[in-house]
Amino acid sequence: MNSVYVVGIGPGGGEQMTGEARKALESCDIIIGYTVYIDLIRGQYPDKTFLTTPMTQEAERCRMAFEEAEQGRDVSLVCSGDAGVYGMAGLMYEIKGAYPHVNIKVVPGITAATGGAAVLGAPLMHDFAVISLSDLLTPWEKIEARLRAAAMADFVICLYNPSSRKRKDHLKRACEILLEYKRDDTVCGTVRNIGRDGEARQVMTLAELKDTEADMFTTVYIGNEQTKQIDGSMVTPRGYRNV
Amino acid sequence: MNSVYVVGIGPGGGEQMTGEARKALESCDIIIGYTVYIDLIRGQYPDKTFLTTPMTQEAERCRMAFEEAEQGRDVSLVCSGDAGVYGMAGLMYEIKGAYPHVNIKVVPGITAATGGAAVLGAPLMHDFAVISLSDLLTPWEKIEARLRAAAMADFVICLYNPSSRKRKDHLKRACEILLEYKRDDTVCGTVRNIGRDGEARQVMTLAELKDTEADMFTTVYIGNEQTKQIDGSMVTPRGYRNV
């Protein structure tokens, strides 16, 4: 039976790719993905055939992968970060029914949450919640309820998609909600372009984060009650008792 | 200035290690870690010096790394999974003050949450919360509050340390709390020995999970309202609208 590898290439598609991901890409004739992600790896695989679709064509991209595999080709579908975290792995399973002769093999990658955490220091050392601020596929009320729950229970919070051209104020709105539960000086951080050229981090307070502009290449971290700034890094202690 | 690399070797220390992690280990004279994790990689690096400490000696392990680096040696401190998720990265920053001439560089790895998700299918496709059930460093009341918050706000939930010899009933207690908010037939999954020999997955309902015995090598997933079983895999749709 033919397989499609659904491969997370890590945040930048470079050294943060796993050995398993590299092996999958090397074994394939065809690599399929969103244009921007393909551009991250194209130069590393000059002998492969690359097929790209634009941002909104996710289902089309999945069908393309299944159809190539049905015809006997070895195919990888790539996602930045991890294919199973706001990536394409779920949609592949949802569409799979129409292609009974093709298997799916998900190859995990470093997702932005942990890739960016390593840049900031160690913000995710304890229980954490990952929330996307994109309301393209999720009603804002559901996002807001999750922000409130995560703040109330003192999770460290990691925000994906903090902003976009169409929803410039989402991060500000999220911070206003979090500030109902958390101190003004809660330690926060942002990382832009994780694992890519121009990687940059900032550590700040929640009050400052509220007035920070983030773009779609930024991942945002809000500390728990114990998170501190050490030497410019953002660090959450592992436990609530002394070590 | 000397550096200590704090390296996540992924769940099994094999093909799920990143290129960056391999480069760090190869560049070092000395590799330090908990005995069990060192055993995962020792055979791959026959020329290195390995220093190990037992499970409860985390602070001692960190000091060992700093002291070797202070003496001019290139040192990696390894953790399974990601060093920044219930790993050693935070403690390294907390101890760093005593070693002003040593830098810390965290190298991210595939954490159990995403590594296990790839084995199950695509359970983490939407907002999720990661919670450790170990009450060694965290009061159980705090863990319980987080379980309640995550269930109420319909996060997918990933549980680390679901059980140990001393707290055999933690997973059962957690499931009982979750069942106050979630349907009996909520789709759940477990993965044992992620990325290691004997890797095994199970997909089941929350009612079944309540009566499942998990050990310390198991990672547990509880779906959100939309999570389904497709062809034996655990899949959470990406959004709440049709794609």
Side-chain angles (χ1 to χ4, degrees):
Chain A
M1 201 186 268
N2 300 324
S3 290
V4 176
Y5 292 97
V6 187
V7 179
I9 60 170
E15 293 237 307
Q16 289 186 351
M17 222 189 291
T18 67
E20 190 184 9
R22 286 218 177 272
K23 213 162 148 179
L25 297 187
E26 275 156 22
S27 75
C28 285
D29 314 309
I30 295 180
I31 300 174
I32 299 176
Y34 168 44
T35 323
V36 174
Y37 304 152
I38 290 293
D39 286 347
L40 289 171
I41 56 166
R42 193 191 290 269
Q44 302 172 51
Y45 299 98
D47 301 333
K48 305 294 181 189
T49 302
F50 290 93
L51 302 176
T52 63
T53 68
M55 180 128 80
T56 52
Q57 302 294 309
E58 280 87 5
E60 183 50 35
R61 211 178 300 151
C62 291
R63 278 189 283 268
M64 203 185 251
F66 279 119
E67 279 160 19
E68 294 289 342
E70 263 192 338
Q71 287 165 41
R73 300 196 187 92
D74 296 316
V75 181
S76 280
L77 177 68
V78 297
C79 301
S80 85
D82 183 285
V85 178
Y86 309 111
M88 305 287 291
L91 193 52
M92 284 294 287
Y93 279 99
E94 291 186 79
I95 289 176
K96 183 180 189 299
Y99 304 91
H101 303 298
V102 181
N103 266 330
I104 298 173
K105 170 91 181 89
V106 182
V107 180
I110 303 287
T111 185
T114 56
V119 177
L120 279 172
L124 301 182
M125 284 302 299
H126 209 282
D127 303 337
F128 63 95
V130 175
I131 303 172
S132 165
L133 294 190
S134 166
D135 59 356
L136 212 62
L137 298 171
T138 307
W140 177 258
E141 301 70 46
K142 192 122 196 169
I143 298 171
E144 188 169 322
R146 287 181 179 155
L147 290 167
R148 288 186 192 281
M152 260 188 289
D154 196 31
F155 281 98
V156 178
I157 300 170
C158 177
L159 301 177
Y160 281 51
N161 307 309
S163 179
S164 77
R165 248 176 308 175
K166 283 189 189 154
R167 35 183 188 83
K168 272 208 170 306
D169 66 333
H170 278 202
L171 179 58
K172 192 185 192 70
R173 283 164 70 189
C175 289
E176 282 165 356
I177 292 163
L178 298 176
L179 280 165
E180 295 177 31
Y181 307 89
K182 295 172 90 72
R183 296 193 324 266
D184 269 24
D185 64 349
T186 300
V187 178
C188 297
T190 63
V191 189
R192 195 167 182 272
N193 288 330
I194 302 167
R196 306 185 193 178
D197 290 343
E199 181 181 271
R201 76 178 198 177
Q202 265 191 290
V203 178
M204 63 188 86
T205 67
L206 180 52
E208 289 165 343
L209 181 65
K210 178 166 74 72
D211 296 316
T212 296
E213 278 215 11
D215 62 16
M216 54 186 289
F217 303 106
T218 303
T219 306
V220 174
Y221 300 77
I222 296 106
N224 69 15
E225 280 172 14
Q226 300 221 324
T227 303
K228 45 196 166 186
Q229 209 185 119
I230 298 177
D231 239 357
S233 294
M234 180 178 177
V235 180
T236 302
R238 177 154 175 192
Y240 288 82
R241 290 168 197 154
N242 285 332
V243 278
Chain B
M1 202 186 268
N2 301 324
S3 291
V4 176
Y5 293 96
V6 187
V7 180
I9 60 170
E15 291 238 307
Q16 289 186 352
M17 222 189 291
T18 68
E20 190 184 9
R22 286 220 175 270
K23 213 163 147 179
L25 297 187
E26 276 155 21
S27 76
C28 285
D29 313 310
I30 295 180
I31 301 175
I32 298 175
Y34 168 44
T35 323
V36 174
Y37 304 151
I38 290 294
D39 286 346
L40 289 170
I41 55 168
R42 195 191 289 268
Q44 302 172 50
Y45 299 99
D47 302 332
K48 306 294 182 188
T49 301
F50 289 93
L51 302 177
T52 63
T53 69
M55 180 126 82
T56 52
Q57 302 295 307
E58 282 87 4
E60 183 49 34
R61 209 178 301 149
C62 291
R63 277 189 285 269
M64 204 186 251
F66 279 118
E67 279 159 20
E68 294 289 343
E70 263 192 338
Q71 287 166 40
R73 299 194 189 95
D74 296 316
V75 180
S76 280
L77 177 69
V78 298
C79 300
S80 85
D82 184 284
V85 177
Y86 308 110
M88 305 286 291
L91 193 51
M92 284 294 286
Y93 279 99
E94 291 187 80
I95 288 175
K96 182 182 190 298
Y99 305 91
H101 303 298
V102 180
N103 267 331
I104 299 172
K105 170 92 180 90
V106 182
V107 179
I110 303 289
T111 186
T114 56
V119 177
L120 279 172
L124 301 183
M125 283 303 298
H126 208 282
D127 303 337
F128 63 95
V130 174
I131 303 173
S132 166
L133 294 190
S134 165
D135 59 356
L136 211 61
L137 298 170
T138 307
W140 176 258
E141 303 68 47
K142 194 122 196 168
I143 297 170
E144 187 170 323
R146 287 181 179 155
L147 289 167
R148 289 186 191 281
M152 260 189 287
D154 196 31
F155 281 97
V156 178
I157 300 170
C158 176
L159 301 178
Y160 282 51
N161 306 310
S163 180
S164 77
R165 249 176 308 175
K166 283 189 190 154
R167 34 182 189 82
K168 274 210 168 306
D169 66 333
H170 279 200
L171 179 59
K172 192 184 192 72
R173 284 164 70 189
C175 289
E176 282 164 355
I177 292 164
L178 298 176
L179 280 164
E180 295 176 32
Y181 307 89
K182 295 173 90 74
R183 294 193 324 266
D184 270 24
D185 64 349
T186 300
V187 178
C188 297
T190 62
V191 189
R192 193 166 184 274
N193 289 331
I194 302 167
R196 305 185 194 178
D197 290 344
E199 181 182 272
R201 76 177 198 179
Q202 265 191 289
V203 178
M204 62 188 86
T205 65
L206 181 51
E208 290 165 342
L209 181 65
K210 179 166 74 72
D211 296 317
T212 296
E213 277 215 12
D215 62 16
M216 55 185 289
F217 304 105
T218 302
T219 306
V220 174
Y221 300 77
I222 296 106
N224 70 15
E225 282 172 12
Q226 300 220 324
T227 303
K228 45 195 167 186
Q229 209 185 120
I230 298 178
D231 237 357
S233 294
M234 180 178 177
V235 180
T236 302
R238 177 153 176 194
Y240 288 81
R241 291 169 195 154
N242 285 331
V243 280

